């Protein structure tokens, strides 16, 4: 084929390269649209998964927070119950000691009242020989001295039981028991 024939053919078919270029451009654009569509769909899927994960994380945190509050409330309840039991036990012990002190006071007072001769060689129920001795030691009658001794013993028991109560209250474990869930299995 000669140049003239080729040139004539090119003049007649001038639109063919343009069409071929447009077809190639259309094919490339179509491929780019497919790639962009796939990227968009993947981004939407990733966003949806991330939103679900976020909602699940929020729900997990809320559930964990509610569980922590419940456990804290149970722990406060347990500590209060233990402390109340200690207080009640100490009050009962103290009342029993008060009753024993009062009974002993009344026995000694009755024994002293029953004695007719405090100057005899017999020993008195307490180390008191006479009303004068009571006045010398206590500045009061034997009944007054016994009352002071009774008050002193009751106050001593108050202090003893108060110290015991404070030590037992301080020994109450206020930290909650470790959880039995997954966290405790991971951190033995």
């Amino acid at each position: 084929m000669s140049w003239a024939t080729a040139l004539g053919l090119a003049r007649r078919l001038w639109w063919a390269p343009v069409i071929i270029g447009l077809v190639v451009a259309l094919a490339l654009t179509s491929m780019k649209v497919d790639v962009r569509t796939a990227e968009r769909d993947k981004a939407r899927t990733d966003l949806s998964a991330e939103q679900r994960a976020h909602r699940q994380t929020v729900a997990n945190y809320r559930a964990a927070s509610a569980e922590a509050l419940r456990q804290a409330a149970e722990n406060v309840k347990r500590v209060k119950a233990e402390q109340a039991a200690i207080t009640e036990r100490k009050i009962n012990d103290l009342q029993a000691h008060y009753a024993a002190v009062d009974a002993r006071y009344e026995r000694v007072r009755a024994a002293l009242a029953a004695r007719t001769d405090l100057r005899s060689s017999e020993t008195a129920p307490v180390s008191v020989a006479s009303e004068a001795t009571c006045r010398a030691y206590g500045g009061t009658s034997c009944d007054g001295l016994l009352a002071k001794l009774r008050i002193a013993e009751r106050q001593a028991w108050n202090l003893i039981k108060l110290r015991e109560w404070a030590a037992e209250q301080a020994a109450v474990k206020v930290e909650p028991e470790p959880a039995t869930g997954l966290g405790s299995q991971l951190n033995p």
Side-chain angles (χ1 to χ4, degrees):
M1 170 167 9
S2 71
W3 281 103
T5 312
L7 191 55
L9 186 61
R11 276 189 196 155
R12 241 181 345 144
L13 299 175
W14 63 268
W15 50 267
V18 172
I19 295 295
I20 291 172
L22 287 175
V23 168
V24 169
L26 181 63
L28 289 174
T29 304
S30 175
M31 287 173 31
K32 267 190 164 183
V33 167
D34 289 344
V35 167
R36 295 290 183 203
T37 303
E39 287 176 354
R40 182 204 63 205
D41 291 347
K42 182 181 181 316
R44 283 182 180 169
T45 304
D46 290 348
L47 177 63
S48 176
E50 188 174 322
Q51 287 173 339
R52 277 192 310 275
H54 176 72
R55 283 191 299 271
Q56 185 61 45
T57 300
V58 169
N60 290 346
Y61 277 116
R62 285 184 179 153
S65 176
E67 178 62 17
L69 288 173
R70 184 193 64 76
Q71 287 178 357
E74 282 181 8
N75 188 54
V76 166
K77 195 176 181 183
R78 177 191 58 82
V79 168
K80 283 183 177 182
E82 285 183 31
Q83 289 177 332
I86 289 168
T87 300
E88 185 177 341
R89 190 171 54 247
K90 290 301 164 190
I91 287 172
N92 291 340
D93 287 351
L94 191 58
Q95 288 173 346
H97 283 291
Y98 283 170
V101 168
D102 292 345
R104 189 169 43 255
Y105 167 76
E106 290 302 324
R107 275 194 318 271
V108 170
R109 197 165 156 237
L112 280 176
R115 285 200 61 179
T116 55
D117 183 16
L118 288 177
R119 292 184 200 111
S120 71
S121 60
E122 283 184 49
T123 57
V126 291
S127 60
V128 224
S130 69
E131 193 70 27
T133 307
C134 290
R135 289 200 183 283
Y137 283 119
T140 184
S141 67
C142 288
D143 272 348
L145 181 60
L146 284 173
K148 284 182 179 182
L149 291 172
R150 176 178 157 224
I151 290 169
E153 188 173 358
R154 287 176 72 120
Q155 288 175 343
W157 279 114
N158 279 344
L159 292 174
I160 290 168
K161 291 302 174 185
L162 180 61
R163 285 184 65 208
E164 288 175 3
W165 175 84
E168 288 183 29
Q169 290 287 335
V172 172
K173 186 178 177 213
V174 294
E175 297 84 20
E177 295 295 322
T180 57
L182 182 62
S184 64
Q185 293 171 356
L186 295 177
N187 299 320

